[in-house]
Amino acid sequence: MNPHLRVLLVLLSLVISIVHALLHTLMVLRLSFCTDLEIPHFFCELAQIIKLACSDILINNVLVYLVAGLFAGVPLFGIIFSYIHIVSSVFRMPSSEGKHKAFSTCGSHLCVVSLFYGTGFGVYISSVVTDSSRKTAVASVMYSVVTQMLNPFIYSLRNREMKGALRKLISRTASPP
């Protein structure tokens, strides 16, 4: 990977993020809202804002799911496609030690990806299925805070010292003093 490609990838990511945010902002601006509304959340999540609108929100809902399917679905299918090729390559390895090392490396990444996509999917599905703002807020915290906090921890589990410290901590909490 050369520096030119890295710059292009960063710029592409920046442009996609700006277009995504601008698209939803402009779509929310066309909505009309009733007076004295309070968002039962710790931050203004798009799904919660759309629910508070007094005007027709069909186009906004279609756009939310279309964009989520595009911006989340395409990378997810790319990850799944990559892992299919990785797993098939690992199974062709003759050494069981090499297989273990490869699956150990991929396992951390797969945990983080599953946690990220699982909680993100939960946020959007829970906002459609339930009217409980508390459940949606909990799912949002999982998606926006807990996933990012667990990311370094999950990747550090590949470290032997970290595994030893975690086993020691679990054995201390499992056996009362």
Side-chain angles (χ1 to χ4, degrees), residues 10 13 23 27 29 36 48 51 58-59 65 74 76 79-80 94-95 97 103 129 141 150 163 169 175:
V10 168
S13 175
L23 180 69
M27 290 302 289
L29 285 175
D36 295 331
Q48 297 298 320
K51 277 185 178 181
L58 178 67
I59 295 173
Y65 292 109
V74 171
L76 180 62
I79 291 168
I80 291 170
S95 149
E97 185 178 312
F103 281 130
V129 174
V141 169
L150 287 178
K163 285 181 186 175
L169 178 69
S175 61

Side-chain angles (χ1 to χ4, degrees), residues 3-126:
H4 181 69
L5 181 60
R6 281 193 299 246
V7 169
L8 283 176
L9 288 173
V10 168
L11 286 175
L12 178 67
S13 175
L14 182 65
V15 167
I16 288 172
S17 299
I18 290 171
V19 168
H20 181 240
L22 187 62
L23 180 69
H24 287 302
T25 303
L26 293 174
M27 290 302 289
V28 167
L29 285 175
R30 64 176 271 292
L31 297 175
S32 61
F33 294 93
C34 303
T35 58
D36 295 331
L37 294 174
E38 185 177 316
I39 297 173
H41 248 275
F42 63 96
F43 68 96
C44 293
E45 193 172 50
L46 182 64
Q48 297 298 320
I49 293 172
I50 291 174
K51 277 185 178 181
L52 296 175
C54 293
S55 56
D56 184 33
I57 58 171
L58 178 67
I59 295 173
N60 291 72
N61 283 334
V62 168
L63 183 70
V64 165
Y65 292 109
L66 182 72
V67 169
L70 181 68
F71 288 158
V74 171
L76 180 62
F77 285 120
I79 291 168
I80 291 170
F81 181 74
S82 302
Y83 268 98
I84 289 171
H85 285 285
I86 290 170
V87 168
S88 68
S89 296
V90 168
F91 279 139
R92 286 193 301 259
M93 294 173 94
S95 149
S96 64
E97 185 178 312
K99 288 179 185 179
H100 177 71
K101 188 174 180 180
F103 281 130
S104 171
T105 302
C106 294
S108 300
H109 180 256
L110 208 53
C111 275
V112 171
V113 168
S114 300
L115 189 63
F116 179 75
Y117 275 101
T119 54
F121 185 71
V123 167
Y124 288 104
I125 293 302
S126 70

